[in-house]
Amino acid sequence: MGVDVRDISGLIYRGIREVKGSILVLDPIPNVLYDEVVRVRAPDGIDRLGRVLEVSKDYIIVQVFGEESGLQTDTVIKFTGSTFEIPVSDDVLGRMFNGRFEPIDGMGPIASRDKRDINGEPINPKARIHPNNFIQTGISAIDGMLSLVRGQKLPIFSESGLPHNRVAAQIARQATVLGEEEEFALVFAAMGLKNDEARFFIDSFKLSGAIERSVVILNLADDPAIERLVTPRIALTIAEYLAFELGYHVLAILTDMTNYCEALREVSAAREEIPGRGGYPGYMYSDLATIYERAGIVRGKPGSLTQMPILTMPAGDKRHPIPDLTGYITEGQIILSRDLDSRGIYPPINVLPSLSRLMRSGIGPDKTRDDHKDVADQLYDAYSRGLKARDLARIVGEMGLSDRERLFLKFADVFERKFVNQGEYENRSIDETLDLAWEVLSILPPEELVRVKEETLEKYYYKAKHPEA
Amino acid sequence: MREGEVIRIAGTLVVGTGIPDITIGEVVEVGSEGLIGEVIRIIEDTFAVQVYEPTSGLKPGDPIKGTGKRLVAELGPGLLENIFDGVGRPLEDLIKASGPFIKRGIKAYTLPRDKKWEFKPTVKEGEYVSGGDIIGEVQETVNTVHKIMVPPDVSGKLLEIAEGEYTVTDVIAKIETEEGIIKELTMMQEWPVRVARPIAPDGRLSLDTPLITGQRVIDVFFPVAKGGAAAIPGGFGTGKTITLHQLAKWSDADIVVYIGCGERGNEMAEVLTDFPELKDPRTGRPLMERTVLIANTSNMPVSAREASVYIGITIAEYYRDMGYDVSLMADSTSRWAEAIREISGRLGEMPVERGFPAYLPDKIAEFYERAGRVKALGKPERVGSVTIVGAVSPPGGDFNEPVTIHTLRFTGVFWALDPDLAYSRHFPAINWLKSYSLYANQILGGFVGSFSMYRQELFNWWKSVQSDFNVYRDKAMEILTTAAEVESIARIIGEKSLPDDQRLLLLTSELLKEGFLRQNAFDEVDTFSEPEKSALLLKLIIDFHHMVEKVIKKRIPIDRVIDLPVVAKIKRVKFDPRRVEAILEVAQEAREELLKLAEEYRVEVEI
Ligand SMILES: Nc1ncnc2c1ncn2[C@@H]1O[C@H](COP(=O)(O)OP(=O)(O)O)[C@@H](O)[C@H]1O
Ligand SMILES: [Mg+2]
């Protein structure tokens, strides 16, 4: 009767007092460590991983990461005596794992004595090197106005139905650091992704040849939700190893962080914690920070870790706790817009609420081009004026606009169609992007371009305005 | 040593038992690694500890040792130019101990123990000294003299005083107290961080001097007083951090304490990269020399985030006590409040609003109360100040939430950040209609008084325009306010249909926004706007407004004015490296162009 445990070595315990969703409450057991990993076997015979969330002289609380249906009070538990660790080695490149780091590509597990706690350790702020290497993604809206640098964490805020996967795949395909041959190693972590979405990424990596230097970790929509709490941490542990031990420049794509946060909320509810905004726990900020802050460049270590998390904003609302807390931690955000998408603009990046906080250190005379800062500033200004004119035109009609407003309106249209809009396989160099920006800006008279220095105007504006001269 | 044991571990909260005489606020060492924690509650024979390091691997039965000490800051030479974590450990020492990733259980002193400082006594043996008295000096950095003070609770006859090179733990003076006890003094003293340092009796002074920040919208419209407190709330990306960085860089404080509380690691790295390169406009010395940094980034333990704010304010008070003007920036106080909330939640306390405990307003009040301009304790008489600027990160950018609301109750300045301004890259995105400064009236005279500070040769000229400054300021605010109303009408009927005097308001408000309020922190020239530049720019635009007013009264169409080349120049002149000279030149051009226009229409205007 009960659970068959003949194949498990060491001490096992059967003392479950209560099962609350994925949370187990146990009678006290000596020598159980806070944060220790446990193996949980329910009567269904399936093994799950778990972790000690709280331990006291009166009870122990265990969080189970696997399938929660099937958990019963006659579940047995084995305490491992260590925190959640995974083996690391360069054999991970080209491999595919599930969300618990078990191989799903038919090859054996990673064998290595070198083990790392998946929670990692905080990078000492003084040991960070402030990132400043421009990454050319070939996408004008990003390179021109939201420049990404190596070691940055820059998320995509999207909505369901928008092409965030295509944008992320395009970035993964095209990202290069100017003047360097070396390509990025990719760490791809899926949390609750649909099968076809995951397929799309893998196919895209295969097509571009990136699969050889990729690690794919998949927790799919039909995989246990709670497992999503460990999936990004496993991915980042690998990414850190590749970056800071082996010297790779790593791009980590984490998608969809919304599913991660929902798993976090589920656990919090099961623990009957005081819910915060939207039911998400009050510590979600700190929890997300332990994921997002695992990006950067570290003094005395080769390589770099750049993060591109993707999240879908519930109800398209940027103020929803998930995008909100993310934006408070990450170094900017790329926001996709349904409006642009429905007008056929790809990538549908709404540049105004988007931001790259590290842009200014990655661009300029010896990095991209001397006019880059001014151009970006001017595009923001002109486009926001253009959108205001567009709003006004909806009320008073285009004829009711002043000449100046009409000009800005035209600018906004051309900016969206020519500058933002581009092909999914179109890879524009930064020079092409900036030249295109001038072409679009030349719609406006020079006296409207007050965010551009006069010398810069002299150097680029007139050439763009009269290309034949 | 008093030793008890752990009975419960839940995250950073550990409950222990077995030390009957434990006190609230006592520092304890938990587990075999001696993780540092602080007792925050005592419930019958158990006590709750917030541990400042990750607690993985602890188990019930592990030892807890009482240290008998409260959480203190080590105060003495060696704080400046340094960066510490939330409990005062130098980050460089942590790197030496565990490499670029922070491992737990590392012990490190705040002040270097091996470094020798040249101590020069300023009192003589036999003198009677008491708490706060300055007994000697150390040149801490090129421009900062570190005053060595008698700890606040010590007094007596000076038996011996040293001179020469000493470390912070060497005895530099001996004092015989009234009870006949001999006390040995070192250059270092300790102070419990949660207690405000004492000042002279009745030592709180009124606030009458502005903190000059070099940021126009702040200095001219919403100034903060030295010794005052300001709050800067805003959603992500609206410019809290950059504004705080700008203040840390350019404000005319003697000492800057910058606390990165629960924010990004790369932002601290940026400060560490920039500050040593940047020069203080007043002294020409690297900014880092007057700066103390505290970094407890978002991924570092939450409980240490709570402590970091107190370490920072204690250091600020200590330099204030030497007679310095100190400004303290805390980015972000919301993360500190959230740390309080998280710990309270783990204690199972009853939340009152949005999960925050009922004592949140008290904690916020206590913190901002530690700002002030004071007469320091002890001889010789000296005045110092601590100005606090706190960033607030409201969820969803909505100011209607406990931390913002309570912060505004205890601060005198509100810089309201506006996402719409930020989206159009109008920075600083401080909304000029929603912000306020309760100090403005009493300190603006000081702003005018500081004109000569940077440029002696302009002094006399300034004296002549000083009296007009408030008039200009009020006029500008009036124009901005009315223009906002006109704009909302224009949004319905279109600008074209407005009469010319209203279109002038829009033009001037555009000039004010573009040419004055907007100030790019990353522009080499405009990042710092000295008081006379700010005042002259304002004068340029307001004078222009008055001139155009006269011009359009003579029925010259405003469109002709808008097309004048000088309009773009007014917007751009802030970038001119010739600074005030360039502004004076543009003012001249503005007048000439308007006169020429009048001539063309054959009308006479007096401008
Ligand atoms: N005064 C300023 N000048 C120029 N750019 C600014 C200024 N203030 C903010 N910014 C821009 O806005 C971005 C976000 O500002 P930041 O202070 O980091 O916002 P917050 O701390 O409120 O999230 C910066 O990365 C920078 O690009
Ligand atoms: Mg910030």
Side-chain angles (χ1 to χ4, degrees):
Chain A
M1 267 263 307
V3 183
D4 185 357
V5 292
R6 277 169 299 186
D7 58 324
I8 305 181
S9 63
L11 278 177
I12 56 164
Y13 293 89
R14 313 166 191 260
I16 296 182
R17 226 191 259 173
E18 202 185 336
V19 180
K20 292 193 260 185
S22 62
I23 301 278
L24 309 178
V25 183
L26 276 61
D27 284 328
I29 305 156
N31 293 323
V32 168
L33 310 178
Y34 170 67
D35 211 23
E36 148 167 26
V37 165
V38 300
R39 301 199 145 275
V40 177
R41 182 173 294 180
D44 58 13
I46 299 171
D47 276 352
R48 303 160 175 83
L49 285 177
R51 192 173 79 100
V52 175
L53 279 188
E54 188 172 334
V55 46
S56 86
K57 293 224 147 157
D58 307 318
Y59 57 86
I60 293 169
I61 295 178
V62 167
Q63 163 76 62
V64 179
F65 292 120
E67 191 49 57
E68 58 183 72
S69 67
L71 290 177
Q72 292 175 16
T73 44
D74 55 356
T75 295
V76 298
I77 294 184
K78 174 177 162 51
F79 290 88
T80 63
S82 70
T83 53
F84 206 133
E85 290 177 333
I86 56 164
V88 287
S89 106
D90 60 355
D91 291 343
V92 289
L93 285 171
R95 300 287 313 270
M96 230 186 278
F97 305 88
N98 68 14
R100 302 179 293 279
F101 202 50
E102 292 159 0
I104 50 170
D105 51 6
M107 291 189 272
I110 297 298
S112 168
R113 290 229 184 117
D114 201 356
K115 293 211 163 84
R116 298 291 149 95
D117 188 319
I118 62 162
N119 289 309
E121 283 157 344
I123 301 177
N124 186 320
K126 191 160 190 205
R128 283 182 182 271
I129 292 175
H130 195 247
N132 62 11
N133 298 105
F134 173 77
I135 297 176
Q136 180 175 294
T137 67
I139 296 176
S140 289
I142 297 178
D143 292 351
M145 302 176 75
L146 302 163
S147 315
L148 174 68
V149 300
R150 211 148 63 180
Q152 183 171 10
K153 39 189 181 290
L154 188 61
I156 298 177
F157 289 6
S158 187
E159 294 176 48
S160 38
L162 295 186
H164 43 267
N165 290 342
R166 282 158 59 202
V167 177
Q170 185 174 7
I171 292 170
R173 196 164 52 232
Q174 299 181 169
T176 48
V177 166
L178 289 183
E180 290 186 24
E181 295 298 303
E182 195 189 327
E183 293 184 273
F184 282 91
L186 295 172
V187 171
F188 178 78
M191 281 84 70
L193 225 56
K194 290 198 295 269
N195 220 310
D196 57 329
E197 289 179 289
R199 240 332 95 215
F200 165 81
F201 274 104
I202 295 163
D203 288 346
S204 153
F205 298 160
K206 279 187 182 152
L207 216 62
S208 67
I211 198 80
E212 302 296 316
R213 39 190 172 81
S214 306
V215 185
V216 174
I217 301 173
L218 298 178
N219 165 290
L220 297 177
D222 50 4
D223 286 330
I226 301 301
E227 189 178 286
R228 291 165 201 163
L229 295 179
V230 293
T231 305
R233 294 189 163 83
I234 290 170
L236 290 169
T237 303
I238 294 166
E240 278 176 350
Y241 177 77
L242 293 174
F244 304 131
E245 304 287 317
L246 304 183
Y248 285 94
H249 293 296
V250 179
L251 175 64
I253 298 174
L254 312 172
T255 178
D256 177 337
M257 287 305 290
T258 299
N259 295 331
Y260 169 86
C261 293
E262 254 136 38
L264 200 66
R265 175 168 69 175
E266 210 174 306
V267 173
S268 175
R271 295 191 68 189
E272 290 162 23
E273 291 169 333
I274 303 158
R277 215 160 56 102
Y280 297 92
Y283 51 78
M284 192 155 90
Y285 174 84
S286 302
D287 185 278
L288 285 173
T290 62
I291 293 177
Y292 297 141
E293 275 288 315
R294 293 173 79 173
I297 308 178
V298 167
R299 220 206 287 169
K301 299 269 180 188
S304 64
L305 173 42
T306 309
Q307 258 190 48
M308 181 157 288
I310 299 171
L311 60 84
T312 44
M313 299 179 280
D317 182 5
K318 187 164 77 68
R319 286 163 311 177
H320 182 281
I322 298 172
D324 189 49
L325 294 178
T326 298
Y328 269 122
I329 303 164
T330 53
E331 282 142 354
Q333 64 278 339
I334 295 173
I335 301 191
L336 303 190
S337 134
R338 197 173 294 286
D339 172 51
L340 288 174
D341 183 59
S342 64
R343 286 191 282 121
I345 309 280
Y346 172 93
I349 297 174
N350 183 1
V351 292
L352 292 188
S354 299
L355 169 71
S356 166
R357 292 165 188 268
L358 299 183
M359 172 169 183
R360 60 180 178 275
S361 47
I363 64 169
D366 1 287
K367 290 164 177 158
T368 51
R369 220 167 75 177
D370 55 353
D371 56 333
H372 196 160
K373 277 178 213 211
D374 285 5
V375 165
D377 239 17
Q378 189 61 60
L379 289 172
Y380 277 113
D381 180 67
Y383 185 52
S384 75
R385 286 175 201 274
L387 291 192
K388 265 193 205 137
R390 192 183 280 167
D391 280 345
L392 188 60
R394 284 202 190 107
I395 303 167
V396 297
E398 216 172 299
M399 294 319 289
L401 300 183
S402 66
D403 293 348
R404 182 166 180 249
E405 285 162 338
R406 235 189 323 245
L407 217 49
F408 278 108
L409 176 61
K410 180 174 170 210
F411 170 85
D413 290 339
V414 177
F415 169 79
E416 287 169 359
R417 273 187 291 110
K418 278 195 136 171
F419 185 82
V420 177
N421 192 37
Q422 71 181 80
E424 198 173 333
Y425 285 86
E426 184 181 355
N427 190 352
R428 296 184 188 153
S429 74
I430 183 63
D431 267 320
E432 285 169 331
T433 288
L434 292 173
D435 289 346
L436 194 58
W438 281 110
E439 194 184 318
V440 177
L441 283 171
S442 70
I443 292 173
L444 300 169
E447 62 273 14
E448 291 295 353
L449 306 183
V450 292
R451 297 202 176 179
V452 178
K453 298 237 171 51
E454 265 159 295
E455 314 91 82
T456 315
L457 215 53
E458 294 289 332
K459 190 161 164 194
Y460 296 96
Y461 176 79
Y462 299 99
K463 203 167 68 189
K465 186 133 193 136
H466 313 285
E468 58 288 347
Chain B
M1 193 51 72
R2 295 128 72 232
E3 189 171 312
E5 63 167 333
V6 172
I7 56 171
R8 178 181 161 217
I9 306 120
T12 55
L13 185 82
V14 167
V15 178
T17 188
I19 311 182
D21 60 343
I22 197 98
T23 55
I24 293 271
E26 181 167 342
V27 170
V28 295
E29 293 180 359
V30 182
S32 51
E33 289 167 274
L35 307 179
I36 295 296
E38 190 182 348
V39 175
I40 52 172
R41 292 288 181 284
I42 298 176
I43 311 128
E44 293 165 14
D45 56 347
T46 69
F47 50 90
V49 176
Q50 71 177 41
V51 179
Y52 292 126
E53 293 179 272
T55 51
S56 315
L58 287 179
K59 59 179 188 299
D62 277 349
I64 296 192
K65 291 183 193 132
T67 64
K69 269 176 132 178
R70 284 186 286 174
L71 186 66
V72 294
E74 287 187 358
L75 303 168
L79 291 168
L80 293 179
E81 289 185 277
N82 228 322
I83 178 165
F84 306 97
D85 75 355
V87 289
R89 298 179 300 179
L91 290 184
E92 189 62 46
D93 289 15
L94 300 186
I95 294 176
K96 279 184 197 133
S98 74
F101 294 88
I102 301 178
K103 297 215 165 33
R104 65 182 195 182
I106 303 170
K107 302 263 180 325
Y109 295 117
T110 300
L111 298 178
R113 291 302 195 263
D114 48 352
K115 181 163 171 127
K116 290 201 165 173
W117 302 91
E118 179 74 33
F119 174 76
K120 288 201 198 86
T122 54
V123 291
K124 294 203 179 63
E125 281 160 19
E127 280 181 42
Y128 181 87
V129 294
S130 60
D133 285 3
I134 293 174
I135 55 168
E137 292 179 349
V138 164
Q139 194 72 42
E140 186 174 2
T141 62
V142 173
N143 266 300
T144 307
V145 176
H146 192 110
K147 312 277 163 82
I148 305 297
M149 297 171 286
V150 177
D153 45 1
V154 177
S155 63
K157 203 172 95 178
L158 196 62
L159 295 181
E160 277 173 41
I161 185 142
E163 175 160 14
E165 297 224 314
Y166 296 94
T167 68
V168 292
T169 48
D170 291 338
V171 175
I172 45 112
K174 282 186 185 157
I175 288 176
E176 184 180 359
T177 67
E178 263 164 44
E179 297 81 42
I181 301 164
I182 310 284
K183 289 236 166 171
E184 295 185 331
L185 302 189
T186 60
M187 284 190 273
M188 174 180 93
Q189 50 178 286
E190 290 183 339
W191 189 259
V193 297
R194 295 180 194 279
V195 181
R197 282 175 63 87
I199 57 174
D202 281 332
R204 271 202 173 250
L205 304 175
S206 63
L207 309 181
D208 56 12
T209 322
L211 182 78
I212 305 289
T213 66
Q215 311 305 301
R216 285 185 291 271
V217 60
I218 293 177
D219 287 348
V220 171
F221 291 115
F222 311 109
V224 58
K226 285 200 173 120
I232 177 162
F236 61 87
T238 52
K240 298 178 294 298
T241 303
I242 301 291
T243 305
L244 259 50
H245 282 192
Q246 285 297 88
L247 299 198
K249 285 175 188 167
W250 308 124
S251 64
D252 66 338
D254 302 308
I255 304 291
V256 170
V257 178
Y258 190 96
I259 311 171
C261 173
E263 293 288 312
R264 303 178 182 85
N266 275 332
E267 289 175 343
M268 296 315 288
E270 186 178 10
V271 172
L272 286 171
T273 320
D274 285 357
F275 278 37
E277 307 284 318
L278 293 170
K279 301 264 186 307
D280 183 339
R282 294 175 308 151
T283 62
R285 298 292 311 171
L287 283 171
M288 200 60 202
E289 287 183 3
R290 63 166 198 185
T291 308
V292 182
L293 300 172
I294 314 273
N296 203 247
T297 52
S298 56
N299 54 339
M300 286 157 83
V302 172
S303 38
R305 204 184 287 171
E306 193 268 342
S308 65
V309 163
Y310 295 100
I311 294 266
I313 189 76
T314 305
I315 293 173
E317 286 175 337
Y318 174 66
Y319 280 97
R320 170 204 70 190
D321 291 346
M322 297 178 204
Y324 289 124
D325 289 319
V326 183
S327 55
L328 175 138
M329 284 91 204
D331 187 13
S332 156
T333 61
S334 293
R335 307 301 166 219
W336 163 67
E338 285 160 11
I340 294 173
R341 174 173 70 187
E342 191 168 331
I343 294 154
S344 163
R346 289 193 197 278
L347 284 166
E349 290 175 341
M350 194 60 175
V352 291
E353 12 172 26
R354 302 245 187 137
F356 289 105
Y359 49 80
L360 176 75
D362 300 338
K363 293 256 184 190
I364 294 176
E366 271 169 37
F367 172 61
Y368 284 104
E369 271 302 298
R370 290 176 79 169
R373 188 165 154 270
V374 307
K375 212 163 93 192
L377 187 69
K379 304 183 293 281
E381 223 177 78
R382 55 206 187 267
V383 171
S385 67
V386 172
T387 311
I388 300 183
V389 182
V392 183
S393 316
D398 178 1
F399 294 171
N400 188 10
E401 59 91 35
V403 183
T404 312
I405 291 170
H406 295 303
T407 302
L408 291 181
R409 286 170 57 202
F410 307 114
T411 51
V413 181
F414 172 40
W415 296 317
L417 294 176
D418 181 334
D420 287 331
L421 289 176
Y423 294 165
S424 58
R425 273 34 177 193
H426 173 116
F427 289 115
I430 296 176
N431 183 306
W432 47 90
L433 299 178
K434 294 194 184 129
S435 304
Y436 61 76
S437 162
L438 301 181
Y439 310 116
N441 291 334
Q442 69 225 55
I443 60 177
L444 271 171
F447 175 72
V448 178
S450 65
F451 284 170
S452 57
M453 199 164 72
Y454 298 90
R455 303 173 90 97
Q456 197 62 44
E457 72 274 16
L458 285 167
F459 186 63
N460 288 334
W461 185 75
W462 273 116
K463 279 195 141 162
S464 62
V465 297
Q466 274 180 18
S467 54
D468 295 341
F469 179 70
N470 272 340
V471 180
Y472 281 119
R473 175 179 182 268
D474 294 347
K475 183 69 194 174
M477 196 40 94
E478 181 200 311
I479 293 172
L480 287 168
T481 313
T482 346
E485 288 158 20
V486 175
E487 255 168 52
S488 53
I489 301 170
R491 241 173 277 141
I492 303 166
I493 62 170
E495 192 188 326
K496 236 171 56 176
S497 331
L498 295 173
D500 273 7
D501 58 335
Q502 295 196 358
R503 291 189 62 197
L504 168 59
L505 282 172
L506 294 186
L507 171 65
T508 310
S509 118
E510 168 83 13
L511 291 178
L512 282 168
K513 286 185 226 167
E514 201 58 44
F516 183 86
L517 295 169
R518 242 195 112 226
Q519 191 176 349
N520 189 339
F522 307 106
D523 182 81
E524 237 171 84
V525 174
D526 206 32
T527 179
F528 172 74
S529 184
E530 63 276 29
E532 60 266 38
K533 174 176 170 185
S534 301
L536 258 188
L537 262 181
L538 189 70
K539 184 174 183 309
L540 166 71
I541 296 168
I542 299 301
D543 285 349
F544 184 70
H545 175 85
H546 287 310
M547 291 192 288
V548 177
E549 213 165 27
K550 289 183 187 160
V551 167
I552 59 172
K553 275 222 178 87
K554 303 274 174 175
R555 304 194 173 277
I556 298 176
I558 185 116
D559 277 322
R560 293 297 313 275
V561 176
I562 292 174
D563 286 342
L564 290 177
V566 79
V567 169
K569 283 196 180 159
I570 294 175
K571 293 180 185 169
R572 276 209 190 99
V573 66
K574 60 184 180 182
F575 298 125
D576 197 310
R578 292 172 306 142
R579 310 183 88 89
V580 293
E581 282 77 6
I583 301 173
L584 293 171
E585 208 175 279
V586 172
Q588 192 59 34
E589 280 177 50
R591 194 163 168 274
E592 282 161 14
E593 286 187 17
L594 286 174
L595 284 174
K596 231 170 85 194
L597 190 64
E599 212 173 288
E600 192 187 320
Y601 278 82
R602 296 175 203 290
V603 293
E604 282 210 6
V605 285
E606 259 180 61
I607 53 175

